[in-house]
Amino acid sequence: MKVTAFNGSPRKNGNTAAMLNQVLGVLAGKGFETELYQLGGRLIRGCNACDWCKTHPEKRCVFDDDCINECISKMDESDVILIGSPTYFSSMTAETKALIDRAGRICRAQGLLRRKIGASVSPARRAGTMNVFHSVNNFFLIQEMIVPGSTYWNVSLSTAEGDFAEDTEAVNVMNALAENIFWLAEKIR
């Protein structure tokens, strides 16, 4: 089984990456093929609702001047998709939103993510994580994906690099999320 995690934070080694890597580490230990894809910090255009993807079932966006088509290909090849974004003014990063809008339109039009497993993670300084968590999970749900839970929501109170490792409860939540993804993947298989 293949897992691709998209890090929507421009901080490659920040708390979002640490949360995603915690889940990936557990799954890699159980034999999953894992990849952390660095999305944050890249220039990505938003969706302009041209509907080209609805009339051209080519598993890609008409615009090929950024990384979105590569992301769509990775999503299509994956059994499990993780999307992580830090909380920016109570929402996800612009890169994460562009991924959801563009890949979402194409994947939904072509049914590419149906019955795959998806989970979101989000750190924040104090608040706003639940909006990010829900928004990403809503993307998964409208794609007809299966969203496993954990012992708490997949969030962390983390600001400075390395804070996630000190948030013992959040580390345990990521470990439980990984275990639930593993259990669910085995049932689906």
Side-chain angles (χ1 to χ4, degrees):
M1 305 265 313
K2 182 173 181 183
V3 184
T4 303
F6 295 90
N7 180 14
S9 174
R11 296 180 180 165
K12 292 179 183 179
N13 299 309
N15 293 302
T16 307
M19 293 174 78
L20 292 168
N21 278 323
Q22 187 71 35
V23 177
L24 293 176
V26 172
L27 293 173
K30 294 182 177 293
F32 282 62
E33 178 186 343
T34 64
E35 178 182 1
L36 179 65
Y37 185 89
Q38 183 58 41
L39 180 72
R42 300 176 87 162
L43 294 176
I44 305 169
R45 70 169 56 230
C47 180
N48 70 356
C50 70
D51 285 339
W52 183 87
C53 58
K54 287 185 176 180
T55 58
H56 294 81
E58 299 176 24
K59 297 183 181 181
R60 67 180 198 85
C61 179
V62 67
F63 298 108
D64 204 17
D65 56 354
D66 59 22
C67 66
I68 291 297
N69 285 329
E70 180 182 16
C71 293
I72 292 165
S73 178
K74 289 183 179 298
M75 288 178 164
D76 186 39
E77 296 166 358
S78 297
D79 302 291
V80 180
I81 298 164
L82 305 174
I83 297 178
S85 176
T87 306
Y88 281 20
F89 294 94
S90 193
S91 192
M92 65 189 80
T93 62
E95 299 93 331
T96 306
K97 181 65 172 147
L99 172 69
I100 285 174
D101 287 350
R102 290 201 24 230
R105 201 157 172 100
I106 292 157
C107 292
R108 187 160 186 237
Q110 299 176 26
L112 300 181
L113 303 181
R114 187 169 186 253
R115 296 189 177 140
K116 293 186 181 206
I117 299 169
S120 65
V121 306
S122 181
R125 184 182 69 82
R126 301 273 318 147
T129 54
M130 292 311 295
N131 187 43
V132 177
F133 178 74
H134 289 305
S135 295
V136 176
N137 284 337
N138 285 336
F139 162 75
F140 293 140
L141 292 170
I142 201 166
Q143 299 292 336
E144 298 182 68
M145 295 176 72
I146 302 163
V147 180
S150 187
T151 56
Y152 195 75
W153 296 291
N154 308 332
V155 301
S156 174
L157 293 180
S158 305
T159 303
E161 189 174 310
D163 281 354
F164 166 71
E166 302 300 317
D167 186 349
T168 306
E169 183 179 9
V171 171
N172 291 335
V173 168
M174 294 302 106
N175 290 337
L177 175 63
E179 292 292 340
N180 289 337
I181 289 170
F182 173 72
W183 178 87
L184 183 58
E186 289 293 301
K187 295 295 182 190
I188 291 171
R189 209 187 293 186

